[in-house]
Amino acid sequence: HAGGYTAIPEMMNPQIDRFSEKGKAPLVAGTRNRRASVCDSGLICAFVAIGLSDETVTGMLNGATGFNYQPSDLHTIGDRISQVERAFNCREGLVREDDVLPDRLLSEGIPRGPSQDGRIEDFEAMKDEFYTLCGWDLKTGVPLDERLEALDIAWVKDILTTK
């Protein structure tokens, strides 16, 4: 399950504190949802997509489909895709404990450079923030009915119960 790669926005936007563990959920979800809608579904290379505005991508999508999507629709499309992926993964046995980072990011400080001694201190709190934003159960990570209904994909609940 790819996505949520925030290094480029963090480096390019001086208003984002790349060392902060709080407030990252919207950035992670936003980059994940854009990747799901633009790259994974739109078959655009993730590296190329970084340089494309949402307006450009929407114009391409509208030209290919004949629909009239707006730039903000890309994130809703991506959120729907991410919810379906999450529901499928949960049905197949994925649980909160499986949402991990390499141990090295949690236990070792970066040895040198501008990020020296940087490491993640409270990954569980970061997951709580992300799960809450995504509308997932904090204990299990399963998408909540209310979130699926709000995205007009209530049928996804069936994925959780059928194989």
Side-chain angles (χ1 to χ4, degrees), residues 32-157:
R32 177 204 63 181
N33 291 343
R34 188 175 195 273
R35 180 180 175 121
S37 67
V38 174
C39 305
D40 300 344
S41 296
L43 302 177
I44 298 173
C45 169
F47 295 109
V48 171
I50 291 168
L52 298 176
S53 70
D54 287 354
E55 290 77 12
T56 298
V57 172
T58 304
M60 293 165 51
L61 179 62
N62 290 339
T65 65
F67 292 119
N68 188 28
Y69 290 110
Q70 300 301 310
S72 60
D73 293 330
L74 294 176
H75 297 277
T76 301
I77 292 166
D79 195 4
R80 288 178 177 143
I81 293 166
S82 296
Q83 297 293 343
V84 172
E85 289 175 347
R86 183 66 184 196
F88 176 86
N89 287 339
C90 288
R91 184 193 71 192
E92 296 303 310
L94 181 91
V95 294
R96 180 183 173 108
E97 291 76 26
D98 296 315
D99 288 330
V100 297
L101 291 173
D103 187 56
R104 188 173 188 179
L105 294 175
L106 304 172
S107 63
E108 295 179 27
I110 296 172
R112 63 187 172 282
S115 300
Q116 186 170 355
D117 297 326
R119 78 172 128 292
I120 296 170
E121 301 290 337
D122 194 354
F123 186 54
E124 291 304 309
M126 293 176 82
K127 283 198 290 190
D128 283 349
E129 181 184 11
F130 184 72
Y131 280 30
T132 299
L133 179 72
C134 292
W136 298 347
D137 182 85
L138 289 178
K139 290 181 183 171
T140 64
V142 172
L144 298 171
D145 291 352
E146 307 84 61
R147 182 69 179 148
L148 299 175
E149 290 165 8
L151 289 168
D152 199 25
I153 55 170
W155 58 269
V156 172
K157 292 185 265 185

